[in-house]
Amino acid sequence: QIGDAEEDSLFLYGIVGGRDVSKTSMINQLAGAKISEDTDILDEGTNVAVAYCHREDHAELVKRISLESGERVKLVEHDRKALKNVILIDLPDFDSRFLSHRNDTGRLAGHLQGVVWVTTPRKYGDNEFLNQLETIALSHENYYIVLNKIDQLENTTSLDTVRKEVVQFLTDQCVKRKVPRPDPEQFFILSALEPNRFEFKKLHDRLIRPHSAREVTRAKLMNLKAEFDRNFERIRAGYKLSNHVQKIDQAVDIIRNSLADQFPDDFYRFVCRQVFALETLHQRISKSYFAQR
């Protein structure tokens, strides 16, 4: 991901959500114009990933996500200057009955610098939503949570109460699943059909802006580090590395204590000096190699 980071100024946001959460409406509102295509085919909802990009970003986007190698992505160009260097990718509905939708979302997640999770007051507790959050959320900085259709609760309960309850619920679930907990500053309540109300403008200003190459690079590095840390944790747990390391530490302590009874205190310092003074094989090879160069 980071090979051409300094030359790559595109910031990719994946718009993720289940069916009937109005992802498409939100994308159009963010763009300030209708740039979306009707993807409701065969009752699949969003049945294939659709990447909306400025026409001048087309070539760079193709290079980024390897469209020529068969990625399941449909690319739609537009001329909205506000979205220059910002790519919005409408990902397949993760709660669809089509397994390929879920696989596409997971596979494309590696190309994203940010993920915008769109849910509703009725769906934020869905198990599929939480499973996908566990799969894709790499760090608390790389994902936003949007509670859409908030107007449906406007006259029934306090919106502040809704915010606190949802954030607390998601925080508890993330802790339980060992997922980076949501950042309250990256949680928005809004209605895509009423962009002049609630927190739509706040979300718009956060996403729809120029992203510097430095910011793109930082996002890539953070995501890769988080992915590495998570994979390492799985390996550590799977192979019970902690237990093995603990046994090694115990064995070293036994050896150290045993030797301490047989050798004077300065023995270790003497041995270390001698060992560190040795010229190892790779050092000799390196010296010879660079001398020849």
Side-chain angles (χ1 to χ4, degrees), residues 268-286:
Y268 300 106
R269 290 191 293 274
F270 173 78
V271 171
C272 287
R273 283 198 302 271
Q274 294 297 106
V275 171
F276 291 142
L278 294 176
E279 184 177 46
T280 62
L281 177 61
H282 74 84
Q283 287 175 322
R284 292 198 299 272
I285 293 174
S286 298

Side-chain angles (χ1 to χ4, degrees), residues 246-259:
Q246 185 177 10
K247 290 179 181 178
I248 292 173
D249 285 341
Q250 291 172 350
V252 170
D253 286 337
I254 293 173
I255 294 171
R256 183 185 296 114
N257 294 332
S258 177
L259 290 176

Side-chain angles (χ1 to χ4, degrees), residues 10-52:
L10 300 184
F11 203 100
L12 275 59
Y13 286 104
I15 312 299
V16 185
R19 302 183 62 194
D20 302 322
V21 298
S22 299
K23 289 187 299 173
T24 302
S25 297
M26 194 183 77
I27 289 173
N28 288 330
Q29 293 290 5
L30 288 171
K34 188 178 186 303
I35 62 172
S36 67
E37 292 195 346
D38 185 4
T39 55
D40 293 336
I41 301 173
L42 300 177
D43 196 32
E44 293 185 63
T46 304
N47 60 81
V48 65
V50 182
Y52 299 99

